[in-house]
Amino acid sequence: NAGVTQTPKFQVLKTGQSMTLQCAQDMNHEYMSWYRQDPGMGLRLIHYSVGAGITDQGEVPNGYNVSRSTTEDFPLRLLSAAPSQTSVYFCASSYGQGFRRPLHFGNGTRLTVT
Amino acid sequence: EDKVVQSPLSLVVHEGDTVTLNCSYEVTNFRSLLWYKQEKKAPTFLFMLTSSGIEKKSGRLSSILDKKELSSILNITATQTGDSAIYLCALSGGRDDKIIFGKGTRLHILP
């Protein structure tokens, strides 16, 4: 009963490096999304997807890319990491459209950019 | 622009007190309002509200939506130290029914 799986749990990058945060769900959820959480800022939506092949920008998309080639996977790519991207990243998914069911969250990835 | 505003941002009370957390919103095409509790890791789901005036309850927690006032409250009665957490309000709506969150209320319960 895996649910939403995020890897890695922790990552340290140097400024300018690139990396991909992985997110996979095994619940056949159509809706998937990425959030970042900074102290006192709640969860801010980076990108979301309403189905395979469809992605769109959220509130804070700059510096991040996503793709959705399968229903199960929704990777988040940092093209050139910056210290401002130091944060905790959560992937979340939901059955059908986002409003029909609550989001299921992964356990998060703590990213530090030096 | 769609937005969710929570108040207060921080609250400290004593065990046994009752607290009320507020969430107001602006959104085109409202679909649902959700409350989550976040302790150390990922947020956990509390309530989903879609209809105005209908209270959802779970033990000492309850929530109600007022679509006319574009707001919701989360009540916690007889608080316990285990209620200490960040409480997040989220909104589904807008284009594509995306889900956005407020900044959260950090609640601390003193023994």
Side-chain angles (χ1 to χ4, degrees):
Chain A
N1 205 8
V4 180
T5 303
Q6 286 185 240
T7 55
K9 292 183 181 176
F10 301 94
Q11 183 70 49
V12 179
L13 290 179
K14 291 189 185 328
T15 297
Q17 287 184 316
S18 63
M19 79 158 296
T20 299
L21 307 185
Q22 301 291 345
C23 176
Q25 52 89 10
D26 61 358
M27 298 171 283
N28 203 30
H29 284 174
E30 294 176 15
Y31 183 92
M32 295 187 75
S33 52
W34 277 101
Y35 294 89
R36 61 177 287 173
Q37 186 171 35
D38 304 295
M41 296 298 291
L43 293 167
R44 290 186 291 171
L45 182 63
I46 305 172
H47 286 284
Y48 65 101
S49 169
V50 298
I54 306 168
T55 64
D56 209 340
Q57 296 180 351
E59 302 165 284
V60 288
N62 292 342
Y64 308 95
N65 273 358
V66 292
S67 59
R68 184 96 179 269
S69 56
T70 67
T71 299
E72 295 77 21
D73 300 298
F74 191 44
L76 179 73
R77 279 181 285 276
L78 282 70
L79 303 175
S80 178
S84 60
Q85 293 179 304
T86 293
S87 188
V88 179
Y89 291 84
F90 287 102
C91 178
S93 70
S94 176
Y95 174 76
Q97 293 298 322
F99 67 93
R100 294 186 189 279
R101 295 286 189 274
L103 288 171
H104 293 251
F105 283 87
N107 282 329
T109 295
R110 185 174 293 275
L111 175 68
T112 302
V113 182
T114 60
Chain B
E1 182 182 334
D2 302 335
K3 64 179 180 180
V4 179
V5 179
Q6 291 187 245
S7 63
L9 293 180
S10 180
L11 186 59
V12 181
V13 300
H14 285 94
E15 207 167 19
D17 288 349
T18 293
V19 298
T20 299
L21 310 183
N22 299 284
C23 177
S24 63
Y25 62 88
E26 292 179 23
V27 69
T28 54
N29 187 31
F30 173 90
R31 292 292 201 176
S32 61
L33 188 143
L34 305 98
W35 285 97
Y36 288 82
K37 177 182 182 182
Q38 185 178 26
E39 294 175 270
K40 295 196 184 301
K41 284 195 172 180
T44 55
F45 171 72
L46 294 175
F47 300 111
M48 174 183 271
L49 304 158
T50 56
S51 300
S52 196
I54 298 176
E55 186 181 46
K56 293 279 184 92
K57 283 198 75 161
S58 177
R60 296 176 294 101
L61 278 68
S62 64
S63 183
I64 194 161
L65 175 67
D66 186 338
K67 284 173 126 176
K68 189 175 177 185
E69 296 296 325
L70 305 182
S71 65
S72 173
I73 59 171
L74 175 68
N75 277 325
I76 309 175
T77 60
T79 52
Q80 302 170 357
T81 54
D83 295 326
S84 294
I86 297 173
Y87 290 84
L88 295 161
C89 176
L91 187 71
S92 173
R95 188 165 58 92
D96 286 337
D97 300 321
K98 63 183 182 294
I99 300 173
I100 60 172
F101 284 77
K103 292 184 178 181
T105 294
R106 183 178 292 273
L107 176 64
H108 185 62
I109 310 296
L110 298 170

